[in-house]
């Protein structure tokens, strides 16, 4: 909670945590241990951040292993600067090839208007492995997201960072990803933010949409999204939903899976 206070002092409108902050991304194989780690959305842990959001006049996206039936969920709850719950999102693409086969997948992606001191912005979320599926960011874009908040807990190397760069570019939106630092098992820092603006009229060629990439250390890092420029860019450029042809994409919603992608542990 001290980190939130420091972030507010640094001028933050939204504070975001890495994946499953209440337990440091632990997913025990023992079901009893797993349920012991889980906390409810109404728990003292989550409620403390809700109250803090109102106290600090700053939105907070708190992540936690959520107590849920029949199995816990990997969840983010976003509170606005008044302490109002904006959305609760559970990870849709659980890592069923690993320990997350013990978790309940989320059912949908959500976008909501977030009231900040500088105006309203449309915000959605995806969590870690959701990033690996272009459909995650795409559905959030189609629902109106301008910024996607991405709690994370894995090694952020060139390919995963490139995925985020691609998601921001093709959907013309901002993406803020927060990862655990080196020292947390299987993590290495490199939190990132992309603004999605690939072309500026005054600049020749394209630009890297990366606006922040941290090192491997623990810290509080600020990303400043040029939201009005992002909106102007989205109103004139060719990506996002400008020239899509959804009638040609019916195969995308088929449940059929053919070789070489058949996996016995996959849940549909």
């Amino acid at each position: 909670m001290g980190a939130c206070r420091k972030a507010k002092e640094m001028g933050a409108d939204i504070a975001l945590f890495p994946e499953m902050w209440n337990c440091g991304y632990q997913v025990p194989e023992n079901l009893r241990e797993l349920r012991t780690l889980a906390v409810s959305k109404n728990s003292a842990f989550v409620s403390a951040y809700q109250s803090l959001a109102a106290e600090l006049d700053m939105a907070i996206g708190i992540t936690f292993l959520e107590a849920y039936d029949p199995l816990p969920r990997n969840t983010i709850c976003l509170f606005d600067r008044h302490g109002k719950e904006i959305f609760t999102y559970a990870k849709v693409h659980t890592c069923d090839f690993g320990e997350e086969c013990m978790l309940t997948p989320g059912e949908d992606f959500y976008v909501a208007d977030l009231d900040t001191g500088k105006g309203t912005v449309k915000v959605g979320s995806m969590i870690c492995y959701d990033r690996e599926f272009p459909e995650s960011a795409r559905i959030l874009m189609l629902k109106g997201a301008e910024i996607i908040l991405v709690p994370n807990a894995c090694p952020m190397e060139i390919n995963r960072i490139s995925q985020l760069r691609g998601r921001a570019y093709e959907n013309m939106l901002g993406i803020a990803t927060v990862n655990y630092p080196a020292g947390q098992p299987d993590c290495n820092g490199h939190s990132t933010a992309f603004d999605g603006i690939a072309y500026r009229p005054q600049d020749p060629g394209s630009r890297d949409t990366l606006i922040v990439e941290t090192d491997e250390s623990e810290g509080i890092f600020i990303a400043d999204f040029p939201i009005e420029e992002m909106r102007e860019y989205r109103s004139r450029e060719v990506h996002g939903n400008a020239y899509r042809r959804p009638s040609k994409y019916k195969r995308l919603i088929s449940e059929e899976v053919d070789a070489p992608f058949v996996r016995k542990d996959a849940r549909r």
Side-chain angles (χ1 to χ4, degrees), residues 45 122 148 158 161 180 233 262:
F45 174 82
K122 292 186 178 294
I148 301 176
I158 186 171
I161 292 174
Y180 288 100
Y233 177 77
V262 177

Side-chain angles (χ1 to χ4, degrees), residues 30-39 65 67-72:
N30 181 281
L31 185 55
R32 179 176 294 181
E33 291 179 24
L34 180 68
R35 286 184 168 140
T36 298
L37 284 177
V39 297
L65 177 64
Y68 196 81
D69 188 42
L71 294 166

Side-chain angles (χ1 to χ4, degrees), residues 23-193:
C23 62
Y25 192 79
Q26 297 181 60
V27 188
E29 293 183 4
N30 181 281
L31 185 55
R32 179 176 294 181
E33 291 179 24
L34 180 68
R35 286 184 168 140
T36 298
L37 284 177
V39 297
S40 75
K41 192 170 73 169
N42 300 318
S43 65
F45 174 82
V46 178
S47 296
Y49 285 95
Q50 181 176 18
S51 298
L52 185 63
E55 176 193 335
L56 296 179
D57 192 39
M58 178 182 71
I60 297 178
I62 186 61
T63 61
F64 54 105
L65 177 64
E66 181 188 5
Y68 196 81
D69 188 42
L71 294 166
R73 304 195 304 183
N74 184 340
T75 297
I76 175 173
C77 191
L78 179 64
F79 297 107
D80 73 7
R81 65 193 181 100
H82 309 293
K84 176 184 175 183
E85 179 187 332
I86 298 301
F87 61 69
T88 295
Y89 168 71
K91 187 175 185 176
V92 166
H93 298 100
T94 48
C95 299
D96 294 343
F97 46 82
E99 62 268 29
E100 286 190 359
C101 66
M102 299 285 288
L103 304 183
T104 299
E107 293 292 329
D108 202 354
F109 293 91
Y110 308 105
V111 172
D113 290 332
L114 180 65
D115 172 27
T116 77
K118 299 183 180 71
T120 300
V121 61
K122 292 186 178 294
V123 176
S125 192
M126 55 188 185
I127 298 176
C128 201
Y129 190 51
D130 285 328
R131 169 201 66 247
E132 311 256 351
F133 299 87
E135 294 87 353
S136 304
R138 177 115 305 186
I139 193 67
L140 288 166
M141 177 274 292
L142 292 173
K143 289 184 174 185
E146 297 175 295
I147 295 176
I148 301 176
L149 307 177
V150 189
N152 196 83
C154 73
M156 292 306 295
E157 39 73 45
I158 186 171
N159 294 300
R160 289 185 172 119
I161 292 174
S162 295
Q163 285 177 324
L164 294 164
R165 180 180 277 104
R167 301 293 91 84
Y169 169 78
E170 66 204 12
N171 292 297
M172 297 195 293
L173 45 67
I175 298 182
T177 302
V178 179
N179 196 34
Y180 288 100
Q184 177 77 3
D186 207 31
C187 294
N188 68 335
H190 290 280
S191 299
T192 56

Side-chain angles (χ1 to χ4, degrees), residues 11-29:
D13 296 298
I14 307 171
L16 179 64
F17 288 85
E19 191 174 6
M20 282 171 34
W21 181 251
N22 78 298
C23 62
Y25 192 79
Q26 297 181 60
V27 188
E29 293 183 4

